[in-house]
Amino acid sequence: MRHSYGPDAHQLGELRVPDGDARGVVVVIHGGFWRAAYDLSLGTPLAVDLTARGWVTWNLEYRRVGNGGGVPATLDDVAAGVDHLATLADDGLVPPGSLDRVVVLGHSAGGHLAAWAGGRGSARVPVTHVVAQAGVLDLDGALRARLGDGAVEAFLGGSGPPDARVDPLQQVPLDVPVWCVHAPDDDTVPIEQSRAYVDRATAVGGTATLVEVTGGHFGVVDVAHDAWARIRGLVEGIR
């Protein structure tokens, strides 16, 4: 189930393959403000649920702040982790044709990484859809608001305002559709993060949709919550 995509102990992912024909691949990227205290176990319930519904899932771990991560290592890991799906397919571990549909699903800081992955351009495994769950999508705004008690500054390494290489808001429009799922009562990552992203993306011709749900910051990653049911429906509707 676990496969390494690099030499570091945190460069790994959990691969789950459904019985029967696969609908595509969902790359699950956990949140936790890019900090080492949080790991891929946050994404495991989502991956299990989606695999039971016919999706190959690749629950991605990466280096975080405190164990070698931050810019650029975390971004390098996400790129390498997504591209490693091609190696898994070559080894016969991912069903043929699954990589025709690669959805990246990320929560909070993982939402930032999901949107970043969708906009990274040339890649061995192109992303076809992005779902950001309460995503940190405006890094400059998050930095100024000190979201996560300075988490953005730590992620950037104190290098000053983020530029387009790391900030999803500055990367619009993407060539793939983006859904920003967010609750108005989120007091960890304000919904204005998603609103700003969708407004700017659509203003410049991108395909981005704001999906408002209930449940604060964590309803979107609770498989028993209506917010997750809404996200599951979005993913299942992807063709």
Side-chain angles (χ1 to χ4, degrees):
M1 185 186 302
R2 286 196 169 191
H3 301 273
S4 296
Y5 61 84
D8 191 90
H10 302 283
Q11 294 172 314
L12 60 90
E14 293 178 346
L15 180 69
R16 291 177 171 84
V17 180
D19 296 328
D21 294 335
R23 304 174 66 171
V25 179
V26 178
V27 180
V28 179
I29 307 181
H30 72 83
F33 277 123
W34 310 278
R35 289 176 172 140
Y38 306 93
D39 64 19
L40 85 175
S41 63
L42 295 172
T44 298
L46 314 186
V48 169
D49 188 52
L50 290 170
T51 301
R53 297 170 189 279
W55 292 87
V56 176
T57 58
W58 180 228
N59 185 23
L60 199 62
E61 190 56 281
Y62 51 91
R63 288 172 290 175
R64 285 94 65 208
V65 175
N67 61 18
V71 176
T74 297
L75 302 177
D76 292 343
D77 284 0
V78 170
V82 174
D83 281 346
H84 191 68
L85 285 165
T87 299
L88 295 173
D90 290 343
D91 292 343
L93 298 172
V94 171
S98 297
L99 298 187
D100 293 343
R101 187 177 295 112
V102 177
V103 182
V104 182
L105 170 80
H107 175 238
S108 194
H112 160 263
L113 297 172
W116 177 85
R120 67 190 176 107
S122 178
R124 189 179 180 199
V125 176
V127 170
T128 62
H129 304 78
V130 172
V131 181
Q133 307 160 276
V136 184
L137 302 174
D138 172 8
L139 281 195
D140 188 45
L143 178 66
R144 287 184 278 105
R146 288 191 57 78
L147 294 189
D149 192 23
V152 180
E153 183 176 7
F155 174 63
L156 295 172
S159 58
D163 60 29
R165 292 173 295 177
V166 298
D167 188 359
L169 190 66
Q170 299 181 57
Q171 295 173 338
V172 297
L174 301 191
D175 293 330
V176 302
V178 180
W179 289 270
C180 299
V181 186
H182 220 129
D185 61 341
D186 189 331
D187 59 4
T188 302
V189 177
I191 193 173
E192 283 71 27
Q193 284 276 316
S194 288
R195 286 176 175 156
Y197 181 89
V198 170
D199 286 348
R200 182 174 295 185
T202 55
V204 294
T207 302
T209 304
L210 177 65
V211 180
E212 294 193 16
V213 294
T214 61
H217 191 60
F218 296 102
V220 291
V221 290
D222 179 353
V223 294
H225 199 281
D226 288 346
W228 173 248
R230 186 81 176 274
I231 293 166
R232 184 199 299 131
L234 289 175
V235 174
E236 291 187 319
I238 291 173
R239 297 290 183 266

